Amino acid sequence: MEQTEMLWQYQQADMAADAFEHEIKRSPNRVALKKNREFLVEQQNAVKRMEQEVLEMTDRMEVIKVAIDRIEGQLSSLQNRMESNPPSDLQQAQELTRDAQKLLSNLSDYEREMKRIQKDAADHERSEKEIRVRYAKVKAEYDQQKVAYEAEYAEQLKQLEAKQALAREKSKSVEQALLDKYAQVKKHCVPPVARLYGDQCGGCNMSLPQVTLRKFKNDVPYIECENCGRMIIQ
């Protein structure tokens, strides 16, 4: 049997193995399993982000509590000073009033921020609970899918290995130079080998110049398509 025919038979086995491997990757069970796994990872990351944000909120609330205690202490001190030593004139009274108003304004700002953070923390806690419920539901589904898919994949892997073994067996009859060229062309063009139909490449259907076709008269095993780069055999 000619080398080109052996190469053709090898390509058929090689393409069959590649097609089956692609089919495995597109298996509905595999796709569903991958989708659920990505969802679970996404939810885990979301919970971690929320936990970190709540931790930052807690730290900020501690800072605010210290600030509020300090302002309340300053207000109490100011009130005691006004009671024990009332302002002697209008200007002093206005200065004390401005100090008190500034402290009250700061206190109000901190209290509003505290309420906002508490609300955000409560929202985070509620969202986290919802996420954990969804996570538990999808995780149970994922575990069932995984068991079913692993059994399916084990059988598919046996079939794939058989197809790949057949391709390797076919390759033993092909010269190494042809196999090397086949592998090189396969990197950018699949299938790498095409038959000649009339004066056209059976891969891209483009006509080949006569000067290229005449190379077959020199008993070359193949010619290269000037358009797609495939190995063309007769």
Side-chain angles (χ1 to χ4, degrees):
M1 184 181 296
E2 293 185 0
Q3 280 292 298
T4 53
E5 187 59 31
M6 293 178 181
L7 179 64
W8 183 259
Q9 290 187 11
Y10 163 66
Q11 174 174 265
Q12 289 179 310
D14 184 43
M15 291 297 100
D18 286 354
F20 188 71
E21 185 173 13
H22 184 64
E23 181 182 333
I24 291 175
K25 293 178 180 179
R26 294 178 59 188
S27 163
N29 286 340
R30 181 188 179 95
V31 172
L33 192 68
K34 182 174 181 291
K35 182 179 179 181
N36 280 340
R37 182 172 63 246
E38 290 173 349
F39 174 82
L40 293 174
V41 171
E42 179 184 333
Q43 298 305 297
Q44 287 176 330
N45 292 335
V47 168
K48 288 180 181 179
R49 286 195 301 271
M50 287 185 181
E51 289 175 343
Q52 179 60 34
E53 289 169 2
V54 169
L55 184 61
E56 292 171 359
M57 291 178 192
T58 302
D59 291 342
R60 178 57 182 165
M61 284 192 289
E62 290 300 321
V63 171
I64 292 174
K65 286 178 182 178
V66 172
I68 289 175
D69 289 342
R70 184 180 67 250
I71 292 174
E72 288 177 342
Q74 290 172 338
L75 282 170
S76 179
S77 176
L78 184 60
Q79 183 178 2
N80 291 335
R81 189 171 67 183
M82 291 176 67
E83 291 174 352
S84 61
N85 187 19
S88 57
D89 55 36
L90 179 60
Q91 182 179 354
Q92 188 179 14
Q94 288 175 337
E95 289 176 354
L96 290 172
T97 300
R98 281 196 298 270
D99 290 343
Q101 288 175 341
K102 184 178 180 181
L103 289 171
L104 288 170
S105 177
N106 291 340
L107 181 62
S108 179
D109 289 342
Y110 279 127
E111 288 175 342
R112 280 197 298 270
E113 184 179 1
M114 177 70 81
K115 289 180 180 179
R116 178 184 59 77
I117 293 176
Q118 289 172 338
K119 180 181 180 302
D120 289 345
D123 290 342
H124 274 59
E125 184 178 357
R126 183 169 55 255
S127 296
E128 185 178 338
K129 287 180 180 178
E130 292 173 354
I131 287 175
R132 291 188 184 280
V133 170
R134 290 197 300 269
Y135 181 92
K137 180 179 179 181
V138 175
K139 182 64 166 60
E141 181 181 344
Y142 172 82
D143 290 341
Q144 292 179 350
Q145 288 175 329
K146 187 176 181 181
V147 171
Y149 175 70
E150 286 177 348
E152 174 187 289
Y153 180 69
E155 180 58 33
Q156 290 175 329
L157 194 59
K158 290 180 183 178
Q159 297 179 46
L160 176 61
E161 289 172 349
K163 291 179 182 296
Q164 291 174 335
L166 177 61
R168 287 194 297 271
E169 187 64 29
K170 295 286 185 182
S171 71
K172 294 178 182 178
S173 302
V174 183
E175 294 176 356
Q176 189 60 47
L178 289 176
L179 291 175
D180 291 343
K181 182 63 178 179
Y182 177 95
Q184 179 185 347
V185 176
K186 188 180 178 182
K187 292 177 181 178
H188 62 81
C189 197
V190 178
V193 182
R195 289 195 182 276
L196 181 67
Y197 293 99
D199 64 348
Q200 293 182 338
C201 167
C204 65
N205 299 320
M206 295 296 291
S207 296
L208 302 172
Q210 290 300 314
V211 66
T212 301
L213 293 173
R214 280 197 292 270
K215 293 180 182 179
F216 275 128
K217 294 182 179 180
N218 298 326
D219 293 329
V220 295
Y222 67 91
I223 60 176
E224 292 185 35
C225 177
E226 297 177 1
N227 181 62
C228 67
R230 283 183 171 89
M231 304 167 67
I232 304 176
I233 62 175
Q234 289 183 298

